[in-house]
């Protein structure tokens, strides 16, 4: 059984602005999307802006019920499961969004932010929880003393580390990372990608790594899927197959990261 199975998902957004039913226009954002993610693997989901990546991410997180199709997490349908199963699923399936400044409450301390999932699921004693938060901070390359700080006192990269610490607090099976490193500078991006890689190996985590950045996806992913206009246009179970794809959109993406001079176009140059 695959950890995650998306089966033939189709989704539309209605136009909320129009109140006349007759003029309401539905835009198809996802068309017959199917994919699977196995335990311990990182699936890169790439595509240009507006391709439908975040919508698919929301569908997979159980936040946006698709018009058609199924999402199975550990074999269970996300949208028909019992409340108890859903609660368990929420613990095993976490998310890190792009911009942590807007996805965390600026008034909370790092301790409260990272402690929130623990409050919900673990019911630790005050001292146990503090110890756990301190460990989580160390795991993502921050320090125990940082737990007293609030979001405004961290850099973008540090705050992304806080979000990652929160996402791993409950030892999930899978994390959806939606443009999680996209707004960071190159050096910080690389550092966070390495951190994600280490955490993945250590806890055999699975990632759905959503990005418009083929380089970042290539670095961290085992397999890659390319989306365009709500459809999957290429699936590479071995990420290196991306370089031999005949799909025009994929060729375009790949060409954008190749060095200018053909003589430099080696594997390492990629
Ligand atoms: N809540 C929404 N209501 C209506 N349209 C939406 C909504 N969210 C996204 N869209 C539209 O769906 C398409 C796909 O968006 P999105 O999934 O965010 O793409 P991506 O993450 O690949 O950039 C876009 O055309 C976007 O404008
Ligand atoms: Mg997006």
């Amino acid at each position: 059984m695959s950890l995650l199975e998306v089966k033939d998902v189709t989704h539309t957004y209605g136009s909320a602005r129009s109140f006349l039913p007759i003029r309401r226009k539905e835009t198809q954002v996802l068309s017959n999307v199917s994919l699977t993610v196995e335990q311990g693997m990182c699936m890169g989901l790439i595509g240009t802006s507006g391709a439908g990546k975040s919508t698919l991410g929301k569908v997979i997180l159980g936040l946006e019920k698709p018009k058609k199709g199924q999402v199975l997490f550990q074999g269970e349908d996300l949208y028909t499961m019992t409340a108890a199963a859903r609660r368990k699923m929420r613990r095993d399936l976490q998310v890190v969004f792009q911009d942590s400044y807007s996805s965390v409450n600026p008034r909370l301390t790092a301790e409260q932010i990272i402690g929130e999932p623990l409050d919900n699921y673990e019911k630790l004693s005050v001292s146990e929880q503090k110890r756990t938060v301190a460990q989580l901070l160390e795991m993502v390359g921050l320090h125990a003393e940082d737990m007293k700080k609030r979001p405004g006192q961290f850099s973008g990269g540090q705050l992304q580390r806080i979000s990652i610490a929160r996402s791993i607090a409950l030892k999930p099976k899978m994390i959806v990372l939606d443009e999680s490193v996209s707004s960071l500078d190159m050096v910080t991006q690389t550092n966070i990608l390495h951190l994600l890689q280490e955490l993945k190996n250590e806890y055999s985590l699975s990632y759905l790594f959503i990005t418009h950045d083929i380089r970042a996806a290539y670095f961290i992913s085992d397999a890659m899927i390319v989306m365009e206009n709500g459809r999957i246009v290429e699936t590479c179970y071995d990420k290196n197959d991306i370089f031999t794809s005949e799909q025009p959109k994929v060729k375009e993406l790949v060409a954008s990261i190749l060095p200018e001079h053909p003589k430099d176009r080696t594997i390492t140059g990629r």
Side-chain angles (χ1 to χ4, degrees), residues 56-72:
L56 181 57
K58 282 183 211 156
V59 166
I60 287 169
L61 287 161
L63 303 172
E64 183 79 40
K65 189 176 193 294
K67 292 279 148 64
K68 274 197 290 188
Q70 269 188 315
V71 182
L72 307 182

Side-chain angles (χ1 to χ4, degrees), residues 118-188:
L118 297 167
D119 290 338
N120 288 336
Y121 283 92
E122 296 278 13
K123 308 280 177 251
L124 302 173
S125 71
V126 174
S127 62
E128 273 173 334
Q129 177 138 336
K130 259 200 191 334
R131 205 164 45 238
T132 307
V133 171
Q135 275 168 1
L136 286 162
L137 282 165
E138 303 278 348
M139 275 165 63
V140 298
L142 296 171
H143 306 289
E145 309 85 74
D146 291 325
M147 73 169 77
K148 294 292 159 226
K149 294 189 195 162
R150 286 169 217 277
Q153 295 168 276
F154 292 107
S155 68
Q158 287 172 328
L159 205 54
Q160 227 31 347
R161 288 174 190 268
I162 304 268
S163 290
I164 293 166
R166 177 178 58 185
S167 76
I168 58 171
L170 298 172
K171 303 188 178 69
K173 300 231 163 41
M174 180 166 181
I175 305 178
V176 174
L177 299 141
D178 190 354
E179 304 281 7
S180 302
V181 302
S182 301
S183 61
L184 305 172
D185 63 78
M186 284 301 274
V187 174
T188 313

Side-chain angles (χ1 to χ4, degrees), residues 13-14 27 29-30 47-56 58 64 178-179 210:
Y13 286 120
T27 333
V29 184
L30 297 175
T48 47
S49 172
K53 305 181 298 296
S54 294
T55 303
L56 181 57
K58 282 183 211 156
E64 183 79 40
D178 190 354
E179 304 281 7
I210 303 178

